[in-house]
Amino acid sequence: MSKIPLGPFHPALEEPYKIEVTCTGETITDAEITVGFNFRGIEWLAERKNYTQGIALLERVCGICSNVHTMMFCRAVESIGAIEVPERAKYIRVVMAEAERLHSHLLWAGVACNLIGFETLFMTCFSLREQVMDVLEGISGNRVNYAMNRPGGVNRDITDPASVLAAIRTIADVTTKQLIPVLTTDPTVRARCAGVGILTREDAIAYGAVGPMARASGIDIDLRKSAPYEAYDQLSFDVPVRQEGDVFARIVIRALEILESCKLIEQAIEMMPVGPIAGGLFPTVPEGEACVRIEAPRGEVIYYMASNGTDMPARVRVRTPTFANMPTARVMALGQGLSDLALIQASIDPCYSCTDR
Amino acid sequence: MDVNALLLELNPQGAYELRRDGYWLVWPEVDVRAMARLMRSREVRLATMTGTPAADGSLRVIYHWDVGAYLLNVETTATDGRLATIADILPAADWIEREIRDYYATEFVGRETTAPLMLRDTDAPGLFSRTSDVGHQTDPAETSRTTLATKDGESR
């Protein structure tokens, strides 16, 4: 029996965290995960910033789904203050959220292709991702922290919808013709990923798995369908679900979700009504509390916010998808070969910056 | 999922309040372990738990359950800073309980060990409680980590 630590700093890890596996021969018999290396005390800080500062702070929770966190912060304020969002702003929020999902899924697909050994497909994914980044930059003026959301609406309109549509149609076309066929039918991908790192439906529920992780284990949950927010109840899309619970199922789910996001952006751009994109001045937040959630690229994000009526929140709690998904790595790794560990971890699409906050 | 049947089974006398963001129930005497066992048997996912200080200095702990279109938020209080663990029933609670201990020094009774999640092994639990009066200065520069380090007497 041997213990093998991986991390917290390792060339194969983009962010610091640690997993220590116990092996008998090449087989993993136990795994212990250590996080907290990126702990920044963002919840603590959020209780010491006013609401305007809080938006900028929470945008820094994650470098990929930064828009999600400002949207959540604003939605929590809107829930406490019963603030209505203009219809056009709801559609703009959908476009931003789905573009961010494309960004996240394409980044992940590229990393997965690299791990499997498909260097050319890795380049294709990153090329598509670059186009999504251009879309996000074209709308918001920024490539990482978009500063799009405000309580009661959004800060910027979509002024060039044609360029957004053109980019999204290119992404959908390449995804359909190149990415999905390889990721879903290639024998090498299937041989490397099918049957590896299985998360059963029962374990997925017990561990509280969310997003593509849960949907790859047969759990049909997606807040955009089950608890629609913004303009999702006006749009048509499918939620891919697989029963296998293995790495391959997670790959297929995310690949198919890329196309669904393209569909959603196209519809949102075409159906977007004319009108205002935000209310007036920054609202006063009354005393109260709210717990809101949305479907981020990696799964459900939850924000709890309490207000005591001042210009600073009394409590901000952030539960990110990786916080819920990462503990499943232990059950998925048990009984697997050591060489499968990197693939299993990557199949979670983990974000430790989000997890540690 | 029949949410009404679940709510009745969980607490037939419960004064559930349906708000814009879900069902809320204040239930100080809740048996959290019985609640966790019921939820597990009904395949209800523990979305998360939130610890938040109450005005009297105690800690409110809210269990957020995913019941489909809504969250079911059950609120109790950590009496004397202690609450029964549910991590052995629902592993989803393991990291959450450890994090609440990190921030508020709440002891989850029944756990074999409660290792820090966000803090270091040598850190005392209750970071948020210990620093509750720190960092509220109007000058944002005063909210920096150096203030914390000065208070704790150690480098961070």
Side-chain angles (χ1 to χ4, degrees), chain A residues 28-268:
Chain A
I28 298 170
T29 54
D30 200 2
E32 186 180 343
I33 302 161
T34 308
V35 294
F37 300 101
N38 310 292
F39 178 59
R40 290 157 285 162
I42 284 182
E43 291 183 10
W44 187 93
L45 283 167
E47 294 157 18
R48 288 154 178 82
K49 306 285 182 192
N50 66 37
Y51 285 98
T52 310
Q53 294 169 322
I55 296 172
L57 173 68
L58 270 301
E59 188 148 42
R60 271 74 183 169
V61 168
C62 180
I64 296 174
C65 49
S66 54
N67 179 70
V68 160
H69 290 282
T70 60
M71 194 158 96
M72 289 298 288
F73 191 85
C74 293
R75 286 182 58 79
V77 170
E78 288 156 7
S79 184
I80 293 173
I83 300 164
E84 293 301 325
V85 175
E87 283 301 307
R88 185 172 178 84
K90 291 179 181 176
Y91 282 85
I92 293 172
R93 284 185 177 180
V94 167
V95 172
M96 287 298 293
E98 294 307 317
E100 199 165 56
R101 194 181 315 278
L102 285 176
H103 170 200
S104 179
H105 280 15
L106 286 166
L107 174 70
W108 174 85
V111 172
C113 290
N114 192 36
L115 275 173
I116 296 165
F118 278 101
E119 294 292 332
T120 49
L121 208 54
F122 160 76
M123 294 303 292
T124 302
C125 290
F126 270 58
S127 168
L128 293 177
R129 172 179 170 265
E130 192 59 29
Q131 294 185 52
V132 179
M133 301 288 282
D134 288 343
V135 166
L136 288 163
E137 185 179 8
I139 294 171
S140 71
N142 297 293
R143 287 170 63 86
V144 178
N145 294 317
Y146 314 107
M148 279 294 285
N149 293 293
R150 59 186 288 185
V154 292
N155 288 319
R156 294 178 189 82
D157 206 344
I158 295 177
T159 54
D160 186 8
S163 69
V164 176
L165 282 176
I168 294 305
R169 283 170 183 155
T170 301
I171 292 165
D173 187 52
V174 176
T175 301
T176 304
K177 289 176 180 164
Q178 294 182 34
L179 198 55
I180 289 182
V182 173
L183 290 179
T184 60
T185 62
D186 186 273
T188 308
V189 177
R190 188 176 282 275
R192 185 72 188 87
C193 304
V196 174
I198 292 175
L199 179 67
T200 65
R201 186 178 186 279
E202 186 186 6
D203 278 341
I205 295 171
Y207 278 80
V210 295
M213 288 290 298
R215 292 193 283 276
S217 292
I219 302 171
D220 187 3
I221 55 164
D222 188 321
L223 292 169
R224 296 172 296 173
K225 282 278 190 198
S226 62
Y229 49 93
E230 307 305 347
Y232 282 107
D233 58 346
Q234 305 297 314
L235 306 173
S236 169
F237 64 104
D238 295 321
V239 177
V241 177
R242 303 276 295 202
Q243 304 299 323
E244 301 92 327
D246 56 7
V247 171
F248 184 68
R250 284 166 223 137
I251 289 174
V252 173
I253 292 283
R254 290 195 184 95
L256 296 176
E257 285 186 1
I258 291 172
L259 281 185
E260 296 305 318
S261 289
C262 291
K263 273 167 55 179
L264 281 163
I265 292 172
E266 277 198 62
Q267 290 175 67

Side-chain angles (χ1 to χ4, degrees), chain A residues 275-302:
Chain A
I277 60 169
L281 296 173
F282 200 100
T284 302
V285 185
E287 198 171 331
E289 65 181 342
C291 192
V292 295
R293 55 184 181 153
I294 63 170
E295 190 74 25
R298 296 178 175 90
E300 175 196 69
V301 174
I302 298 181

